[in-house]
Amino acid sequence: TRRAQYNNLVVSGNTNVYLYSSSDGANKAFYDTAIGGNLISYITIGVGNSLANFWYYDESAGTYTISASDNASAPDGAMGIDDATDSITVGSANISQFIVNDPGNMTAGNRLGYSVTRKDQYGNIVTTGSNTVYLYSDSTGANKAFYNSSSGGSVITFATIGAGTSTVNFWYYDELAGTYTISASDNASAPDGTTGIDDAVDSVTVSPAAIYRFSLNNPGNMEIGSRLGYIVARKDEYENSVTSGNSTAYLYSDSSGFY
């Protein structure tokens, strides 16, 4: 609305009103209608009118200042026609997705710390309400597990993001070397991708632990004067094959024969 210095409505002449927002949202915009319509950067209050309507759009949660100014390049406060301002808070939309961090890879027999965050479809953090996050790994390790702490604690199959928070932490444990997918889902029976709340996934490689023992195959028996082929392998304490570094295996037989 345009007014004179004594607060009277002004209806004479045309006045261009330039529109600004302090939001850093990439898709913030002003429109000339509530639905559809056109993107605008200013509106005109025409002859015979004292006001004009516009609509503001944003996808970035936060508190911002909306300004209506006579300056075509930026808000200019009380210079010329006094600017009008309004403070607006853009709240996040409904939860649309879970996101997990990428904590890197892990060594067998250790725990890897994760955090899962809930967000709306625009990437804003959601802190309202409560959501249960079900945890999955496609590892076939017999002792794979999720925990609620980095050591000790309890084995869990889900974690809860409570009201007022956006994130919850969990730890993954495995003893079987390999590359696996960790999933955080709203589905209590199995990961379900983009059904309901979008699942979060992370790829993690579990490396063998340090060498723990040598193992020999059993090639059977042999005849005197022949050779019997053996394979010696190195394993960690969880029976994963170890391929890193060099290891010397000294060879012995309790036979009294000599050559």
Side-chain angles (χ1 to χ4, degrees), residues 63-149:
T63 298
Y64 310 116
T65 298
I66 305 300
S67 300
S69 177
D70 61 323
N71 191 350
S73 58
D76 61 357
M79 294 182 63
I81 300 171
D82 291 356
D83 291 354
T85 61
D86 179 54
S87 179
I88 181 174
T89 296
V90 179
S92 58
N94 292 328
I95 181 173
S96 171
Q97 56 185 316
F98 291 128
I99 302 293
V100 292
N101 63 327
D102 177 8
N105 298 313
M106 62 184 289
T107 301
N110 289 287
R111 296 184 189 181
L112 185 65
Y114 278 95
S115 62
V116 57
T117 302
R118 54 182 175 173
K119 295 190 174 186
D120 68 14
Q121 69 186 96
Y122 307 108
N124 298 302
I125 288 173
V126 175
T127 59
T128 56
S130 180
N131 292 101
T132 301
V133 187
Y134 297 93
L135 308 173
Y136 301 98
S137 166
D138 64 358
S139 167
T140 58
N143 296 316
K144 70 179 180 183
F146 295 98
Y147 285 87
N148 59 4
S149 65

Side-chain angles (χ1 to χ4, degrees), residues 199-214:
D199 291 355
V201 297
D202 180 58
S203 179
V204 59
T205 297
V206 180
S207 299
I211 181 172
Y212 179 74
R213 71 181 187 92
F214 291 125

Side-chain angles (χ1 to χ4, degrees), residues 6-259:
Y6 304 110
N7 213 32
N8 298 304
L9 296 175
V10 176
V11 296
S12 60
N14 294 314
T15 305
N16 287 334
V17 185
Y18 298 92
L19 308 173
Y20 302 98
S21 167
S22 64
S23 167
D24 57 2
N27 296 315
K28 69 180 180 182
F30 295 98
Y31 285 88
D32 58 4
T33 62
I35 300 173
N38 302 301
L39 289 170
I40 58 174
S41 60
Y42 70 92
I43 54 174
T44 300
I45 302 177
V47 174
N49 294 310
S50 62
L51 59 83
N53 297 321
F54 66 91
W55 286 259
Y56 179 62
Y57 176 88
D58 209 338
E59 296 175 355
S60 179
T63 298
Y64 310 116
T65 298
I66 305 300
S67 300
S69 177
D70 61 323
N71 191 350
S73 58
D76 61 357
M79 294 182 63
I81 300 171
D82 291 356
D83 291 354
T85 61
D86 179 54
S87 179
I88 181 174
T89 296
V90 179
S92 58
N94 292 328
I95 181 173
S96 171
Q97 56 185 316
F98 291 128
I99 302 293
V100 292
N101 63 327
D102 177 8
N105 298 313
M106 62 184 289
T107 301
N110 289 287
R111 296 184 189 181
L112 185 65
Y114 278 95
S115 62
V116 57
T117 302
R118 54 182 175 173
K119 295 190 174 186
D120 68 14
Q121 69 186 96
Y122 307 108
N124 298 302
I125 288 173
V126 175
T127 59
T128 56
S130 180
N131 292 101
T132 301
V133 187
Y134 297 93
L135 308 173
Y136 301 98
S137 166
D138 64 358
S139 167
T140 58
N143 296 316
K144 70 179 180 183
F146 295 98
Y147 285 87
N148 59 4
S149 65
S150 59
S151 62
S154 303
V155 173
I156 59 173
T157 58
F158 66 88
T160 300
I161 304 175
T165 62
S166 62
T167 300
V168 67
N169 298 321
F170 64 91
W171 286 260
Y172 178 61
Y173 176 86
D174 208 338
E175 296 175 355
L176 182 65
T179 298
Y180 310 116
T181 298
I182 305 301
S183 301
S185 178
D186 61 322
N187 191 353
S189 58
D192 62 357
T194 57
T195 301
I197 299 170
D198 292 356
D199 291 355
V201 297
D202 180 58
S203 179
V204 59
T205 297
V206 180
S207 299
I211 181 172
Y212 179 74
R213 71 181 187 92
F214 291 125
S215 68
L216 284 174
N217 65 325
N218 181 7
N221 298 314
M222 62 185 288
E223 291 183 358
I224 293 173
S226 63
R227 297 183 182 179
L228 186 65
Y230 277 94
I231 298 171
V232 59
R234 52 185 178 174
K235 303 276 190 178
D236 69 10
E237 63 181 298
Y238 308 108
E239 290 301 296
N240 298 302
S241 295
V242 176
T243 60
S244 60
N246 296 315
S247 301
T248 301
Y250 298 94
L251 308 174
Y252 302 94
S253 168
D254 62 0
S255 169
S256 60
F258 65 90
Y259 176 72

